[in-house]
Amino acid sequence: MAKLTQTEEEILLSEAAKGFLAKSAPVSRLREMRDGGSRSDPELWQEMAAAGWAGVLVPEAAEGSDMGHAAAHVLAREMGRNLTVSPFLSTAVMAATLLRQLQDDASRDKLKQIAAGGLTYALALDENSKFSPESVGLSAEKRGNGYVLNGKKRFVVDGCEADRILVLANSADGLCLFDLANQAKGLEREVLAMIDSRDAADLVFDAVEVSGDALLGKAGAGYDLLKPALEAGQAALAAETTGLSEAAFALTTGYLKERKQFGITIGSFQALQHRAAHLWCEIELTHSAVLNAGRILDESPEEAALAVSVAKARASDTAQKSVQEGVQMHGGIGMTDAFDMGFYMKRARVAAEWLGDYGYHAGRVAQLRGF
């Protein structure tokens, strides 16, 4: 049974991350970026890399800090509290988890660049309105020593600003995973106007030629290679979403203690106390689910699928409850752009869809439990 409380080291890491993000990436920074039309924060990413965050899952042999998934979740949770804009999930978690499986010089060099903050990634997976990574229509036609890619990928998070793209495509041999430059000839980006003001794009592949070196692993084994990276990303996203829920809850309870109605603070109303207490319990249960997923990913990653889907499903549901209660308990001010609650609601909605929504993961839990 995994330990469902934070270790002393994790508490210290959380406190350090909280202090760093409060100074370098408060929610007001996201507001400034949105108002200025910016979708990324490269300066902040360099600061994170200098602190060892970009290399949290990069082996020490590749100059990473290799702190493990549970530590990555601590960082992601604190980023969720501040709605921090960074390529952390796509690059430091998913790309690093994928590349560290490959025992070759090219992958080790890429891992070194990730840890140093010099290389970022996006994952191009979705092709339909819902997450279904194994339903791949984008084609990879063998041509000489390389391939030609044709098709479209939707909702590619970090798809505009990332240096490289990991693409799952369908070939005559089965699903193949490719690593290609974001500026490849024939690759076009359609910028998405996301409600959470962050970087995302649809990618169109029009006869994109890639060399045989772009193929990761063996032809036909692309999804097997991708699966551990997906589970790592889903668990880390659950951690980030849990931090979001906690921050929205803190905003709400702070408001309940200050707002007066008929000369009485509304936090003294029993009905609101009951709702707040219920939400607190939901957040604590979700935090435990995330801790469990992190422990299993570190100790027995091949057995983590159930724990990861439980964490992602719970985190999505809890965040939705947290932001909805926050808006309702704030009343009219909760719907205004001048107040931060709207930013949390928008981010919660996007996070719920990325890498599988509640329905996807609830179905996965049922399947893994034999139902």
Side-chain angles (χ1 to χ4, degrees), residues 1-4 292 295-296 299:
M1 180 69 179
K3 183 180 180 182
L4 301 185
N292 182 55
R295 299 280 185 264
I296 295 177
E299 297 166 9

Side-chain angles (χ1 to χ4, degrees), residues 152-171:
K152 185 173 183 177
K153 293 291 186 178
R154 304 178 63 183
F155 186 34
V156 179
V157 176
D158 299 319
C160 293
E161 302 293 338
D163 299 310
R164 301 191 68 81
I165 307 288
L166 294 169
V167 183
L168 194 62
N170 206 352
S171 74

